[in-house]
Amino acid sequence: MEDCNRRIIAPSILAADWAHIADEIARAESAGADWLHLDVMDGHFVPNISFGPQFVAAVRPHAGLPLDVHLMIERPDVYLPAFVKAGADRITVHVEAEHDVSDTLKKIREAGCKCGLAINPDSHFHTVEPYLDQIDLLLVMTVRPGFGGQAFMEEETMPKVAAGRDWRRKHDLHYHIEVDGGIDTATVAIAAAHGANVMVAGTSLFRAKDMAESVEMMRLA
Ligand code: DX5
Ligand code: ZN
């Protein structure tokens, strides 16, 4: 069972220099990151297109860290086998996407990966309640998905992080609580105070003057 109280820092390669992705991955690892967060976007579920399973497969041999793959795509069930084959360690799908959520979560675990469920800022917490006993991670989006570099949405999202923590405690569950979007050395403390332990950060880490120092500050905040 994973320790959902352990602080985990997961740089999002969305903000990395893709022309030198192997170097960027090495930079994140030597900066002390715990996971590598990969933001997959299909241009339908979100108004942006990033990369697909082939890019994940290209990243895989260069990454010693677990690949935390975040599927911001309409049909995660359809593309799940391709991301498993590409080498994902953890696969997170959106409750708002067009699929049988329980079935997809089950299939992720059957494939040997850890499963996560993500909720957008405009979605109510009760939409994920039926699935919380089937997941290894709850991702509370702290920006509207699609682009890096947005502002942290505290009012809309922190109550859901706290609700996830309270539900976990009440039902004796052990899922991680991850936040993603606008996370930096200041907002990380707000997210942690409400119960988040996995911190995804793109801009604030890959654009940091000193990535290792920022990772350490996020770990201690
Ligand atoms: C939103 C993306 C971003 C990204 C992190 O669709 O998921 O949240 O991971 O972006 P930053 O850290 O640059 O806000
Ligand atoms: Zn993400």
Side-chain angles (χ1 to χ4, degrees):
M1 188 184 305
E2 297 183 306
D3 177 2
C4 59
N5 295 305
R6 178 176 155 240
R7 181 70 58 87
I8 290 164
I9 309 302
S12 164
I13 63 167
L14 194 70
D17 174 0
W18 292 10
H20 301 97
I21 197 64
D23 297 338
E24 291 283 78
I25 292 167
R27 190 157 73 92
E29 294 197 15
S30 53
D34 300 294
W35 298 351
L36 207 58
H37 188 82
L38 281 74
D39 283 308
V40 178
M41 303 178 188
D42 66 359
H44 294 277
F45 184 71
V46 291
N48 192 11
I49 298 174
S50 60
F51 47 79
Q54 194 172 336
F55 186 73
V56 175
V59 160
R60 179 71 278 179
H62 301 284
L65 299 176
L67 300 186
D68 177 36
V69 177
H70 174 194
L71 298 182
M72 289 168 271
I73 67 176
E74 202 60 65
R75 293 298 308 273
D77 52 332
V78 170
Y79 295 94
L80 179 59
F83 284 101
V84 172
K85 187 159 175 272
D89 296 286
R90 316 184 74 94
I91 299 177
T92 296
V93 297
H94 271 262
V95 70
E96 301 91 353
E98 292 295 313
H99 63 124
D100 177 328
V101 174
S102 283
D103 188 52
T104 306
L105 293 170
K106 187 165 73 69
K107 287 204 168 75
I108 294 171
R109 278 186 167 166
E110 284 169 354
C113 297
K114 295 290 186 186
C115 68
L117 186 60
I119 178 171
N120 282 334
D122 298 325
S123 299
H124 292 287
F125 184 76
H126 67 72
T127 59
V128 296
E129 285 175 354
Y131 313 105
L132 293 175
D133 61 348
Q134 304 163 35
I135 61 172
D136 302 302
L137 178 141
L138 173 66
L139 167 47
V140 178
M141 288 302 293
T142 42
V143 294
R144 287 193 177 87
F147 299 90
Q150 300 177 76
F152 180 70
M153 296 170 70
E154 181 172 353
E155 310 308 318
E156 300 86 338
T157 65
M158 288 304 102
K160 281 186 277 188
V161 171
R165 175 200 54 202
D166 297 347
W167 182 284
R168 181 177 65 193
R169 188 181 300 138
K170 185 162 168 247
H171 296 84
D172 191 24
L173 298 169
H174 303 279
Y175 50 82
H176 290 290
I177 299 178
E178 183 176 69
V179 286
D180 177 0
I183 300 298
D184 59 26
T185 48
T187 56
V188 67
I190 301 168
H194 287 82
N197 72 298
V198 184
M199 311 299 182
V200 173
T203 307
S204 66
L205 287 179
F206 278 107
R207 311 286 158 83
K209 265 193 329 302
D210 180 337
M211 194 179 199
E213 183 189 38
S214 295
V215 168
E216 195 53 19
M217 284 169 70
M218 283 195 181
R219 194 177 299 290
L220 301 174

